Amino acid sequence: MSLDSDIIVDRRRIRRKLTFWRVMAALIAIAAIAGFALIATPGARGTFAAAGSIARVQIDGLIRSDSDRTQALERLENSQAAAVIVHINSPGGTTAGSEQLYDSLVRLKAKKPLVVVVEGLAASGGYITAIASDHIIAQQSSLVGSIGVLFQYPNVTELLKTIGVKVEEVKSSPLKAAPNGFEPTSPEARAALDALVKDSYAWFKGLVKERRDMDDTQLEKVADGRVFTGRQAIDLKLIDQIGDEKTAVTWLVEQKGVKKGLSVRDYKLQSRFGDLPFLKTAAAVTLEALGLGSIAHQIGQTGVAQAVDRFGMDGMLALWQPAASN
């Protein structure tokens, strides 16, 4: 019996080692493929738009501050592209990142005719991005709006009590690093956060009012945090026209004097190796094998980089996300 037990233990030990090295091999293979693809993929930091064409810029997923994106848009300003079509499919992101992208597009618009096409979603920070343009086009079923600001933070006070952990700190003043999630939020800290949110919200509303030429009554109808369909949004002055990229090209020709018949070519702001399709699949499969199904599902839906972003975002957010379904 003792010998049988030893054999079983040895087999289990060997099986664990094999599993470990298989996972390591898979991760090394993924990293190697990603490195090769990053080298082989042209335009990792923006490709110059061809002369005599319309540049197509894609804004997808969560919006954060991004110096590479800013530099790529600056290069597009000085390119030979005749005009720019910005496609947006984003729930928003940080207010700082959204403001940075908005400012970059305003500078680009000063040098190139520019139009926005909402491909599915332009909410919160995604809508801040959209209103950089003088003309916004969306499909009838697209979602736009979500004019509002959010500050979220987890509070694990009750959990720490359950497991018997107490976090102690010494700080220079009561509002330093508040809230921290390790203790109940004080009324003073909550009031300070409320002031931050209200100030950013006022900035957001003021931007919408100015860019969309709304009066106070019109603004109040759309500034309660809701999203609207394209059909609703056009009557509420959130967008200008129902349509798609062809509609955008027609508008550029008729309203901005862009030459008819020009081709529309992709202008890549950046290529993040984590979002290459084959790598997304490989990473998701590996995580499933490790029992990390929820993270694998997130990667399958949004890609490696976006999944990491969702788990790591902090600070003031201009972000819309419907409740997750089970």
Side-chain angles (χ1 to χ4, degrees):
M1 290 297 292
S2 177
L3 181 60
D4 289 341
S5 298
D6 290 342
I7 292 173
I8 292 172
V9 170
D10 286 340
R11 285 180 177 175
R12 287 178 177 173
R13 186 182 298 114
I14 292 171
R15 190 178 297 114
R16 284 197 297 269
K17 287 183 178 180
L18 284 173
T19 300
F20 171 79
W21 286 112
R22 284 172 182 167
V23 171
M24 289 300 296
L27 293 175
I28 292 171
I30 291 171
I33 294 171
F36 174 78
L38 190 59
I39 295 172
T41 303
R45 294 198 177 186
T47 55
F48 287 98
S53 66
I54 299 172
R56 180 192 295 116
V57 172
Q58 198 80 34
I59 305 296
D60 288 320
L62 298 175
I63 298 171
R64 304 184 75 162
S65 297
D66 189 333
S67 59
D68 287 343
R69 180 186 62 212
T70 299
Q71 292 169 12
L73 290 172
E74 288 174 353
R75 288 193 292 273
L76 183 54
E77 290 179 31
N78 301 314
S79 74
Q80 297 301 310
V84 180
I85 299 176
V86 180
H87 288 258
I88 299 176
N89 188 15
S90 170
T94 65
T95 52
S98 302
E99 182 180 3
Q100 181 196 60
L101 180 52
Y102 169 86
D103 289 339
S104 294
L105 292 177
V106 168
R107 289 192 295 268
L108 177 58
K109 183 189 65 177
K111 294 188 177 182
K112 307 279 184 188
L114 184 148
V115 60
V116 159
V117 176
V118 180
E119 287 197 334
L121 180 64
S124 281
Y127 188 65
I128 292 174
T129 302
I131 59 178
S133 171
D134 294 329
H135 197 74
I136 303 173
I137 297 169
Q139 295 179 326
Q140 297 185 60
S141 58
S142 295
L143 297 177
V144 299
S146 185
I147 298 168
V149 179
L150 173 70
F151 194 106
Q152 282 185 328
Y153 57 95
N155 192 300
V156 296
T157 306
E158 296 302 318
L159 174 63
L160 294 180
K161 287 181 181 178
T162 300
I163 60 178
V165 175
K166 182 179 180 181
V167 177
E168 297 186 353
E169 62 184 6
V170 177
K171 54 185 180 181
S172 58
S173 57
L175 293 181
K176 177 64 178 175
N180 58 29
F182 299 130
E183 61 185 8
T185 304
S186 68
E188 294 79 11
R190 190 172 295 277
L193 291 177
D194 184 63
L196 287 176
V197 169
K198 286 181 177 176
D199 185 67
S200 293
Y201 180 44
W203 166 78
F204 193 168
K205 289 199 300 181
L207 194 63
V208 173
K209 181 178 180 180
E210 175 190 347
R211 294 295 302 143
R212 301 304 301 168
D213 191 24
M214 294 182 180
D215 58 33
D216 290 336
T217 301
Q218 292 170 323
L219 182 62
E220 289 306 311
K221 289 180 180 179
V222 299
D224 60 0
R226 285 181 292 169
V227 290
F228 302 90
T229 66
R231 285 163 56 91
Q232 296 171 317
I234 194 165
D235 292 331
L236 294 169
K237 297 186 68 174
L238 291 171
I239 68 170
D240 300 289
Q241 193 174 2
I242 297 294
D244 53 16
E245 184 174 272
K246 290 184 178 180
T247 312
V249 172
T250 300
W251 182 83
L252 288 170
V253 171
E254 294 179 353
Q255 301 298 323
K256 295 296 182 179
V258 174
K259 184 179 178 181
K260 189 175 182 179
L262 295 182
S263 61
V264 181
R265 299 187 180 183
D266 287 331
Y267 180 84
K268 296 183 181 297
L269 297 181
Q270 56 193 169
S271 178
R272 301 177 74 169
F273 69 88
D275 286 335
L276 295 173
F278 64 88
L279 185 59
K280 182 193 299 186
T281 301
V285 169
T286 301
L287 287 168
E288 283 282 6
L290 292 174
L292 302 175
S294 60
I295 298 178
H297 176 72
Q298 185 67 56
I299 286 175
Q301 294 293 318
T302 63
V304 175
Q306 293 293 335
V308 172
D309 280 350
R310 283 188 182 275
F311 287 111
M313 292 185 75
D314 54 16
M316 198 79 68
L317 305 179
L319 177 66
W320 178 85
Q321 183 176 0
S325 58
N326 293 326

